[in-house]
Amino acid sequence: LAQVEQMLIDVDMELSRLPREDAAAINAARDALPLLCLSSRHIMLFLQNEDFVPRRAALRMARFWTERIDLYGDAAFNITSNISLPTEDDLLRMYNRSYDVVECRDPAVREEHRVMARAFLDRFEGCMIEAIRNEIHTYPDSKKESYLKALESCPHRVEELYLDFLRCTNFSIKSSAERMINYFHFYDKLFGPSASDNLVGEFLPISQMTMGDRAIEDLELGFCRLVPNANDAHGRPIMFFDFSYLKEGSYTMMGALKSVFYVANVLAQDENTLKNGVVLIESHRNCEPQHYNFQLLKQAVSLLSYCLPIQIKVTHSLRPIDGMPEWQTHITKKLEYLAGRVSRFRVVPHCCTLEDFVNTAEDAYGISREILPKEIGGEATLDSWREWLAIRADLEDMGEVE
């Protein structure tokens, strides 16, 4: 113990001997954190990495704080948790900053910054994953039955998803745990041992091969699809629902739900989608009462709202008024307004002509005509969706995508 105390004193002495410009950052850290050099744990990290040579440990410590302040600014003083406790907002800002530094391909970003940012990401993500595990552990087994089955039969799949749900909910532990439990309930029901068409009795990969022929037909139907390889001006993909395709006898309940689950799962595999969210466009064009299966709609809303690791940032609800009587137009606008007020999502009603909708989508929301589906005045065709599905199926068969 006496030897350790002497080494701590020696490091402090070496710090005081550094040239003023080299010591500027460490001195700023000591001013912000008066207990910095009394924290033996903090200084011991540097001693251990420099073979317990006080001079080298002092130089390394000075460089560490120079790089830390350069990377994080004032937030640098909040990340040593045994000295001061950062707020949740501090941690999230630092996480986002570190993530951007690690992912940045700019050669001007210094390698020291990348290493430091990567170390912070690893620690932060590890702590948050442990936290979500502990939160799920508090739920009764009866509520997380499907999650427990997945944990036993495909633990790698569960492990891969923790971070996706955390990012989707902006690292809200409670929301992430709730979504994950709900996710595995639907996963079990649609692709797992509880699925009526699952002859294997295990959790199957979410792919076109495992959907079944009838569900593939429902997927190709196009009532729920994404616009392939296209994002809005904010980098968000487009998920499109067209209820006019839901004609009685043209689809199955199981296949339609598998389609929603499959499309959302594809979206969730993209890092930018987890960060930026998704734009949902729903079309009620040419729809009659018989096109609305309210049981299906209820479960689809549950999937998107409470289960899948994606965030719907905005929903554009289109009810074209081309040829609609004036009284019906007025009522429709009122109903859409009320729906937007009570919805979990931000709903933007569009009771207008198709041409007005296309112009508004591009001018006000950054959704160009090229990426809008053709059914609502855009240029993205249903055939392009089916072609994309065929290419995706080949990639899934070769194991190049999950």
Side-chain angles (χ1 to χ4, degrees):
L1 182 59
Q3 189 176 3
V4 170
E5 290 293 337
Q6 185 58 50
M7 281 192 289
L8 297 178
I9 293 171
D10 290 344
V11 171
D12 197 24
M13 289 293 295
E14 293 293 345
L15 288 171
S16 67
R17 293 172 182 158
L18 293 176
R20 181 176 299 178
E21 59 274 15
D22 294 342
I26 187 64
N27 288 336
R30 295 169 86 171
D31 290 341
L33 304 167
L35 299 180
L36 180 66
C37 288
L38 296 179
S39 173
S40 59
R41 179 182 175 188
H42 182 65
I43 299 177
M44 283 300 293
L45 291 174
F46 296 96
L47 281 165
Q48 289 167 359
N49 280 282
E50 293 295 346
D51 297 326
F52 296 94
V53 178
R55 175 67 179 171
R56 284 161 46 188
L59 290 170
R60 189 183 186 101
M61 191 173 176
R63 287 195 301 270
F64 170 87
W65 282 101
T66 298
E67 299 293 344
R68 182 73 74 182
I69 294 170
D70 193 15
L71 178 59
Y72 294 113
D74 291 340
F77 307 124
N78 288 331
I79 61 177
T80 310
S81 59
N82 59 317
I83 299 170
S84 69
L85 296 176
T87 66
E88 289 183 9
D89 288 342
D90 290 333
L91 288 171
L92 286 175
R93 279 195 298 271
M94 287 153 53
Y95 178 84
N96 291 331
R97 170 64 176 146
S98 297
Y99 186 86
D100 290 342
V101 168
V102 170
E103 295 298 315
C104 180
R105 299 293 178 259
D106 186 351
V109 175
R110 296 164 64 176
E111 186 59 28
E112 294 90 340
H113 284 182
R114 292 189 200 277
V115 172
M116 191 175 295
R118 181 71 264 172
F120 176 78
L121 288 181
D122 290 343
R123 290 196 302 273
F124 182 79
E125 291 173 355
C127 289
M128 298 303 283
I129 289 172
E130 186 63 26
I132 191 176
R133 285 199 194 101
N134 293 337
E135 177 68 21
I136 292 175
H137 184 71
T138 66
Y139 286 75
D141 288 353
S142 58
K143 187 171 182 179
K144 58 184 179 184
E145 183 178 347
S146 296
Y147 167 84
L148 293 174
K149 283 197 290 186
L151 198 60
E152 182 177 350
S153 64
C154 53
H156 61 284
R157 176 64 179 159
V158 180
E159 290 293 327
E160 290 170 353
L161 285 171
Y162 284 127
L163 195 54
D164 289 350
F165 281 95
L166 285 164
R167 287 176 178 165
C168 164
T169 60
N170 208 23
F171 290 91
S172 167
I173 300 300
K174 190 170 183 62
S175 296
S176 299
E178 189 75 26
R179 271 180 178 264
M180 202 161 183
I181 287 173
N182 293 337
Y183 172 88
F184 279 103
H185 169 74
F186 273 96
Y187 188 3
D188 187 11
K189 179 180 175 182
L190 299 175
F191 291 91
S194 299
S196 58
D197 57 350
N198 186 339
L199 304 179
V200 183
E202 299 176 356
F203 282 92
L204 300 172
I206 303 168
S207 69
Q208 293 179 53
M209 182 183 294
T210 60
M211 289 184 72
D213 293 340
R214 187 63 185 89
I216 288 293
E217 292 179 20
D218 294 333
L219 183 64
E220 293 176 343
L221 184 65
F223 101 92
C224 170
R225 66 185 193 258
L226 57 83
V227 179
N229 309 312
N231 295 332
D232 71 358
H234 306 286
R236 300 176 300 200
I238 309 296
M239 192 174 186
F240 178 60
F241 281 83
D242 189 334
F243 298 107
S244 68
Y245 286 113
L246 295 179
K247 298 173 183 176
E248 188 174 353
S250 66
Y251 70 97
T252 63
M253 181 77 166
M254 177 67 81
L257 284 174
K258 281 187 175 183
S259 297
V260 177
F261 201 88
Y262 176 84
V263 171
N265 186 70
V266 169
L267 290 172
Q269 292 175 21
D270 181 72
E271 293 280 345
N272 289 327
T273 301
L274 293 174
K275 184 177 179 181
N276 300 326
V278 176
V279 173
L280 191 150
I281 300 176
E282 57 179 37
S283 171
H284 301 271
R285 183 172 183 248
N286 299 326
C287 287
E288 301 293 337
Q290 61 266 27
H291 291 114
Y292 296 102
N293 180 332
F294 290 102
Q295 185 181 1
L296 169 61
L297 295 180
K298 180 180 178 181
Q299 294 205 51
V301 169
S302 293
L303 274 172
L304 296 173
S305 305
Y306 308 107
C307 303
L308 294 158
I310 59 172
Q311 285 281 7
I312 306 297
K313 292 298 185 179
V314 60
T315 298
H316 294 279
S317 182
L318 172 62
R319 294 180 185 272
I321 62 174
D322 307 72
M324 187 183 290
E326 186 176 346
W327 65 269
Q328 192 174 354
T329 300
H330 179 73
I331 292 175
T332 300
K333 288 182 177 181
K334 289 291 186 184
L335 290 174
E336 287 296 310
Y337 171 77
L338 291 174
R341 298 282 289 182
V342 302
S343 173
R344 176 181 173 86
F345 308 136
R346 178 193 169 205
V347 176
V348 180
H350 299 274
C351 297
C352 55
T353 65
L354 283 181
E355 188 60 32
D356 285 344
F357 169 72
V358 171
N359 292 333
T360 300
E362 185 159 19
D363 296 341
Y365 300 101
I367 306 172
S368 66
R369 184 186 295 266
E370 289 77 14
I371 67 174
L372 282 172
K374 195 168 185 178
E375 294 93 327
I376 54 175
E379 298 178 6
T381 64
L382 180 57
D383 285 341
S384 68
W385 163 244
R386 290 169 177 165
E387 290 168 5
W388 181 88
L389 282 177
I391 295 171
R392 175 85 186 184
D394 290 340
L395 293 174
E396 289 172 351
D397 291 346
M398 292 186 290
E400 295 188 17
V401 294
E402 296 181 0

